Amino acid sequence: MPKPLTTVIALLACAGVLAVAAPAEAAPTTMERRLVARINDARTDRGLRKLRVGATIQAGAHSWARHLMRADMFHHARVRAGTGEVLAWGTCSWFSPAAAVRAWLRSPSHRRVMLHRSFRFVGAGWRRGTSWRGYGCVEMAVARFR
């Protein structure tokens, strides 16, 4: 029979390995980092400051993109006052972070949100899925600003 202290140490070691191996939910994925970079390119091209990724707003945007894909939906979330949100989607064959930002810049209401001078933080969600609303492969983009 194992000694209680040895068992506790072994369990703590396993928990520590699992905690280290678990991905951070708020850490942006590669596609989310690309989306933030394209948003910041659009802002700096127009003389605006770059936005920093905020952990809380990042986690919210990431979760919302996942929710929209899983729930087969496309609508804005209820966000805190002072927070802006833009959404876009496209088929996997052509959609990209650059395509999402181009689409937002062409829409006066989305452009106004993305280029708002008072925003300092950004969070990006990007999700790829299949069989969303009958499409074979879809990319979902969510950007939130505060």
Side-chain angles (χ1 to χ4, degrees):
M1 179 173 235
K3 295 180 182 177
L5 182 58
T6 306
T7 303
V8 169
I9 291 172
L11 288 174
L12 288 174
C14 289
V17 168
L18 291 174
V20 170
E25 187 67 30
T29 66
T30 298
M31 293 302 280
E32 290 166 348
R33 285 192 305 272
R34 289 178 185 166
L35 182 58
V36 169
R38 297 299 74 78
I39 289 167
N40 277 329
D41 288 347
R43 290 179 60 86
T44 58
D45 288 351
R46 289 154 182 84
L48 299 170
R49 76 175 70 207
K50 286 185 176 184
L51 301 174
R52 295 180 311 208
V53 174
T56 303
I57 200 166
Q58 171 59 36
H62 179 87
S63 295
W64 191 245
R66 183 180 62 227
H67 167 74
L68 291 174
M69 192 63 73
R70 286 182 176 173
D72 201 31
M73 298 176 156
F74 189 74
H75 62 89
H76 287 283
R78 291 184 187 169
V79 294
R80 271 181 26 187
T83 302
E85 180 182 74
V86 292
L87 310 174
W89 71 272
T91 59
C92 297
S93 62
W94 67 270
F95 198 59
S96 67
V101 170
R102 279 193 305 271
W104 291 331
L105 287 171
R106 289 184 191 128
S107 162
S109 60
H110 293 88
R111 179 186 178 94
R112 195 168 25 258
V113 171
M114 192 172 65
L115 301 179
H116 198 286
R117 291 185 179 279
S118 70
F119 290 140
R120 300 293 180 257
F121 297 97
V122 64
W126 191 274
R127 197 68 169 191
R128 176 180 279 228
T130 58
S131 301
W132 184 81
R133 295 194 167 196
Y135 291 90
C137 184
V138 170
E139 306 265 7
M140 178 77 62
V142 175
R144 289 188 179 168
F145 307 89
R146 187 168 328 123

